[in-house]
Amino acid sequence: MSSLELFETTEPERRQRLGPAAMVLRGFALPYVSDLILAIDGIVALSPFRHMVTPGGFAMSVALTNCGALGWTTDRRGYRYTSVDPDTGMPWPAMPATFSRLANEAAAAADFERFEPDACLVNQYAPGSRLSLHQDKNERDYRAPIVSVSLGVRATFLFGGPARTDPTIKVPLHHGDVVVWGGADRLRYHGVMPLKDEPHALLGSRRINLTFRKAG
Ligand code: SIN
Ligand code: FE2
């Protein structure tokens, strides 16, 4: 038996490598799901989902909010992290302990030890919502990875290269999957194709994505 076959039989698609420092952890968040959904409801009660406007003047099709010390925002003036929710004038809701633990354990499973996120974007996709190719580059320190958790409706994630025009691979992301990318892969372009209307048992026609960063 070749070592590849051995790997496949012992770890059936649990860790799918996307690059030297990027991988999908299939189903990694499943044990956390009920806690995550309760915690998301608590966050949204304080800082509701909203459709932010890009510097170019377009409303994003994805609705978003944040938790943690810093939250990512966009408006006509540009992209940035703030400690206050511009819609409520209050600090972003605190990061729930279950969020930090999941992010830390997923990062470690992808070989990034001691990840301590200070920002979590909560993205909500409805049928048709999409996210065009972009780099995550508003963070101060690129040494920390990005940890991205998928819940609800399945989506097609696009993972490209360091230039916008590089070819992309299509990665199906299901409820409970986690993608981690950092190191040499930290600035790869990525996006999400328009969401299909294939209702999910727990979340209905929605997809929720949690993206953890070390922003400050
Ligand atoms: C993001 O790039 O911020 C979100 C990615 C996703 O929704 O899977
Ligand atoms: Fe991103």
Side-chain angles (χ1 to χ4, degrees):
M1 191 188 294
S2 75
S3 61
L4 183 62
E5 282 165 340
L6 182 67
F7 177 79
E8 284 173 351
T9 47
T10 52
E11 287 193 7
E13 297 180 12
R14 302 304 287 169
R15 281 168 41 128
Q16 182 189 342
R17 193 165 277 291
L18 301 180
M23 65 176 77
V24 186
L25 305 169
R26 295 285 174 201
F28 193 92
L30 288 176
Y32 295 81
V33 162
S34 43
D35 287 352
L36 296 178
I37 290 176
L38 270 178
I40 291 166
D41 289 343
I43 292 163
V44 171
L46 296 171
S47 279
F49 284 118
R50 77 290 306 264
H51 293 275
M52 292 185 182
V53 174
T54 64
F58 296 100
M60 294 178 65
S61 63
V62 174
L64 68 88
T65 184
N66 291 276
C67 67
L70 292 170
W72 184 88
T73 67
T74 174
D75 60 17
R76 292 303 300 245
R77 291 181 295 145
Y79 306 128
R80 62 194 169 280
Y81 281 95
T82 63
S83 53
V84 165
D85 176 346
D87 277 17
T88 66
M90 300 289 289
W92 295 106
M95 190 167 323
T98 165
F99 276 38
S100 328
R101 190 168 353 109
L102 168 58
N104 179 273
E105 288 178 6
D111 306 323
F112 291 97
E113 302 296 335
R114 288 181 289 280
F115 177 51
E116 283 179 16
D118 55 11
C120 176
L121 253 90
V122 185
N123 292 311
Q124 178 171 261
Y125 296 72
S129 298
R130 61 187 290 271
L131 198 59
S132 53
L133 284 179
H134 65 278
Q135 293 167 298
D136 291 355
K137 60 174 186 186
N138 302 121
E139 299 72 32
R140 276 232 321 259
D141 183 349
Y142 295 151
R143 280 175 303 183
I146 303 288
V147 173
S148 165
V149 177
S150 291
L151 298 172
V153 177
R154 167 183 77 87
T156 302
F157 183 63
L158 299 171
F159 199 60
R164 187 185 294 276
T165 51
D166 288 337
T168 56
I169 54 168
K170 287 184 176 160
V171 185
L173 293 182
H174 295 89
H175 180 70
D177 290 348
V178 180
V179 188
V180 180
W181 65 96
D185 293 319
R186 177 63 180 72
L187 289 177
R188 285 174 68 167
Y189 274 85
H190 58 278
V192 178
M193 295 198 28
L195 198 74
K196 295 199 174 130
D197 194 0
E198 291 172 348
H200 180 268
L202 277 180
L203 287 174
S205 291
R206 297 183 295 158
R207 171 177 188 257
I208 293 180
N209 169 264
L210 308 175
T211 307
F212 294 92
R213 295 98 184 267
K214 177 94 181 75

